[in-house]
Amino acid sequence: MDNEKILFDNGTHKCVMFSFDDESHEDAFLSVNQYLIVQNGHGILIDPGSSAVFDELYEAVSRHVEVENIKFIFLSHQDPDVSGAIAQWSISTLAKFIMSGLWTRFMSHYGFMSMDRVLPLGDHGAKLKFGQDSLWFVPAHFLHSPGNFSLYDSCSKIIFSGDIGAAILNTPEYYKIVENFEEHKKHLYGFHKRYMGSNKLCRAWVGHVEKLAVDMIAPQHGFIFEKEKVKEFLAWFKELQCGSDYIQELY
Ligand SMILES: [Fe+2]
Ligand SMILES: [Fe+2]
């Protein structure tokens, strides 16, 4: 499949990246990445997106895991490109939904009413046992949402970073790995300058992430960072001036 890529596979634990777009509205649509972790037949789906991609994603996901064995669906934050199809996923799966407790009630506006299926995260996040490994919900507040988390998978050493590291690219060049960070920075800067809260918040997130062994950063838009590019991105993000650092330009 040219719109999916296996990011990690050791035989029992697999991480898959999907990039489904609304092809009928290409000009208006923001390209998105969706992710799936499968271990021994059990799955966790990450930032599945809106109804525009639901059918294709459902079909793609079901090639890797029995849909009834999707145990968790993680929503990094409340945005429509992350959570818009929560009602459809709640009907089609038995999964529990993991998200910031700040956003639980807002999900009813996406038609989702099954609050008993939500595992709300407190601000400090959580560690969840998943098979033989752990999933860490790492605080990423105000980067850009007030209640925001990244997901670190201790087996693959991938951090699924939501909008952190997102690149807004005109042409949907799927499944690309960042080859030249200096070159890629121009696709990161505008988005991060406006959508991220402040440099203080960037530093807080980097401080957490630097304590983890991270082989790959997988954002919700744009390209994957691996190996040296992880370090280059973290160094760039740590120094980034953004959000309220530019308050004089906004008011
Ligand atoms: Fe967002
Ligand atoms: Fe997003």
Side-chain angles (χ1 to χ4, degrees), residues 80-147:
D81 60 326
V82 168
S83 307
I86 183 172
Q88 282 159 287
W89 286 106
S90 72
I91 292 163
S92 348
T93 68
L94 303 168
K96 298 276 190 197
F97 293 85
I98 302 175
M99 70 184 86
S100 163
L102 260 62
W103 297 124
T104 311
R105 281 168 166 267
F106 288 72
M107 294 297 125
S108 60
H109 292 275
Y110 290 134
F112 172 81
M113 302 299 166
S114 311
M115 298 307 164
D116 56 330
R117 286 174 60 191
V118 174
L119 301 175
L121 293 169
D123 279 343
H124 294 286
K127 188 177 174 183
L128 182 77
K129 196 103 183 87
F130 185 67
Q132 295 147 14
D133 298 286
S134 301
L135 300 173
W136 298 65
F137 300 93
V138 178
H141 307 306
F142 297 100
L143 298 169
H144 61 92
S145 164

Side-chain angles (χ1 to χ4, degrees), residues 6-10 13-16 153 155-158 216:
I6 306 294
L7 301 180
F8 179 91
D9 190 357
N10 68 1
H13 187 102
K14 181 162 73 168
C15 300
V16 193
D153 169 19
C155 179
S156 65
K157 299 187 169 49
I158 298 173
M216 192 182 279

Side-chain angles (χ1 to χ4, degrees), residues 30 32 77 79 81-82 144 163 191 220-221:
L30 174 65
V32 271
H77 62 295
D79 274 348
D81 60 326
V82 168
H144 61 92
D163 280 331
F191 178 83
Q220 198 226 342
H221 310 275

